Amino acid sequence: MKSDRLLSILLLLQTRGRVPAHELAARLDVSVRTIYRDIEALSASGVPVYAERGRHGGIALLAGFRTDVTGLTADESRALFVLAAQGAHAALGLDQALGSALRKVMAALPEPHRPGAELASRRILVDASRWMKGPLPVDLEVLQDAVFADRRLRLRYRHSGAAQARTYTVDPYGLVCKAGIWYLVADRRGTPRLFRADRIRSAAVTDAPVRRRPDVELSDVWAVLKHAVENRPGGLKVTVRVRRARYDLFLRVIGKSVTRLPEDHADHADESEWLTVRLAFEAVGEARTLLPFADEVEVLSPPEVRAELARAAAAVTRLYAGKEPAPR
């Protein structure tokens, strides 16, 4: 609706200051011509809005103009009170601030919308944190300091499977919490990199200003890195069989490596004890993630993966064979 779009423009200008017309058009999914017509409508209704042309121009409100109108609909009010990332706010030390902000929003809501917003907060809870997660080796506050102060970070970071941590100096764009896991998104020597917070052994904010690529935002870098992770080719094709009783747990743990599901899982639940699944790993050693399933998952091919798991199992057997438990 046009009225919703006009209010969105007003609130964006209050929040952002001067905004180019093409950016408003992209955000609201309309043409630039429509944006200029909307600006004329706002001006006609008494809103002190103006446009400046040129390279550094844009649309802005006169300094000091504010509106207290929230403009929230009933659905928008409910959406605000479904706390979709409580764990994220707590990890950043913002849980109390979030509660205070929501109380202020509740007070500003139109009276008819308040019962629905309150009911949403009591009836829907989304917990984005992982089960049984351990403490982070580095305080997220250090990473935040670098992000908000626009300073470079010096990290000691241990890659997956590496015995020792390595030192990097990076230019941070921001922090991302995905499925309960925190990531630092940064450039290293101008190349986008992703660092899991639980693998950062130490972090120090330097005095050097950050060197981000021009006109690149956190969302842009995250999109590139996310695409690279999700489309990472698995060079090693592995076929396994899984006991049907453990199939659901297997998918939860190994699901990211699955390339083909068993065709008979849903339709022939009583025919076989085993289900055949095809996986893709980057290297033979990655197949060790199958070891916790013991004899409930068997690698059928290739032979080098069977041999790798056999060696790993033999090493565990040697470790425990003939040894008495350590005294308490």
Side-chain angles (χ1 to χ4, degrees):
M1 294 177 60
K2 181 177 180 179
S3 58
D4 289 339
R5 192 171 67 246
L6 293 177
L7 183 58
S8 295
I9 293 173
L10 180 57
L11 295 176
L12 280 169
L13 295 179
Q14 283 191 172
T15 304
R16 298 278 307 279
R18 182 179 289 105
V19 183
H22 66 84
E23 183 176 331
L24 288 173
R27 280 176 172 266
L28 301 175
D29 197 24
V30 295
S31 67
V32 172
R33 179 177 296 180
T34 298
I35 291 296
Y36 280 117
R37 283 201 296 263
D38 289 344
I39 296 305
E40 291 177 2
L42 284 172
S43 181
S45 66
V47 175
V49 60
Y50 65 95
E52 288 186 352
R53 300 189 180 277
R55 180 179 178 184
H56 300 291
I59 297 167
L61 298 168
L62 285 180
F65 177 80
R66 304 290 296 176
T67 177
D68 293 329
V69 178
T70 66
L72 293 174
T73 67
D75 284 345
E76 290 168 343
S77 303
R78 284 194 293 269
L80 283 176
F81 286 84
V82 176
L83 307 185
Q86 292 182 0
H89 288 93
L92 297 173
L94 297 175
D95 48 347
Q96 292 184 353
L98 175 66
S100 175
L102 288 176
R103 286 191 295 272
K104 293 176 181 177
V105 171
M106 178 67 80
L109 286 178
E111 184 66 34
H113 296 347
R114 293 179 189 175
E118 183 181 4
L119 185 62
S121 68
R122 292 164 47 205
R123 293 289 184 265
I124 300 176
L125 174 64
V126 180
D127 187 345
S129 60
R130 294 183 297 161
W131 291 107
M132 299 174 289
K133 62 179 181 181
L136 290 175
V138 65
D139 193 336
L140 282 178
E141 186 174 348
V142 178
L143 306 182
Q144 280 191 90
D145 289 344
V147 168
F148 290 122
D150 289 332
R151 291 292 183 267
R152 306 187 99 187
L153 265 170
R154 185 172 294 110
L155 309 176
R156 282 191 54 76
Y157 185 79
R158 185 187 64 79
H159 293 275
S160 177
Q164 301 293 329
R166 299 179 61 182
T167 300
Y168 298 103
T169 298
V170 300
D171 298 295
Y173 286 89
L175 296 168
V176 174
C177 183
K178 180 173 176 60
I181 300 176
W182 281 98
Y183 296 90
L184 172 69
V185 176
D187 275 354
R188 180 174 181 262
R189 297 176 179 174
T191 300
R193 297 286 297 272
L194 197 59
F195 299 92
R196 277 183 60 147
D198 55 5
R199 293 181 186 158
I200 299 175
R201 291 298 174 255
S202 65
V205 182
T206 73
D207 293 330
V210 73
R211 301 175 187 173
R212 301 189 185 105
R213 284 167 284 149
D215 301 321
V216 177
E217 297 292 338
L218 170 62
S219 57
D220 304 320
V221 187
W222 173 249
V224 170
L225 293 169
K226 181 181 176 184
H227 181 270
V229 171
E230 292 179 345
N231 294 276
R232 184 169 51 197
L236 182 65
K237 308 302 180 185
V238 178
T239 302
V240 303
R241 64 173 188 164
V242 185
R243 290 192 192 274
R244 190 179 294 274
R246 304 299 283 175
Y247 177 74
D248 291 333
L249 176 62
F250 176 83
L251 280 188
R252 289 199 296 271
V253 176
I254 310 293
K256 67 176 184 178
S257 300
V258 173
T259 60
R260 186 183 302 175
L261 296 172
E263 296 178 357
D264 67 341
H265 177 60
D267 300 331
H268 307 284
D270 57 347
E271 287 192 2
S272 172
E273 178 187 1
W274 295 91
L275 296 167
T276 301
V277 184
R278 288 177 173 79
L279 312 173
F281 293 131
E282 290 190 32
V284 171
E286 191 178 339
R288 290 192 174 211
T289 55
L290 302 173
L291 285 173
F293 291 96
D295 61 346
E296 294 174 326
V297 173
E298 180 187 5
V299 173
L300 302 179
S301 66
E304 58 266 31
V305 173
R306 289 179 61 91
E308 173 70 14
L309 295 186
R311 282 193 296 271
V316 173
T317 300
R318 288 194 301 272
L319 179 65
Y320 289 99
K323 288 190 176 182
E324 295 294 331
R328 294 185 178 181

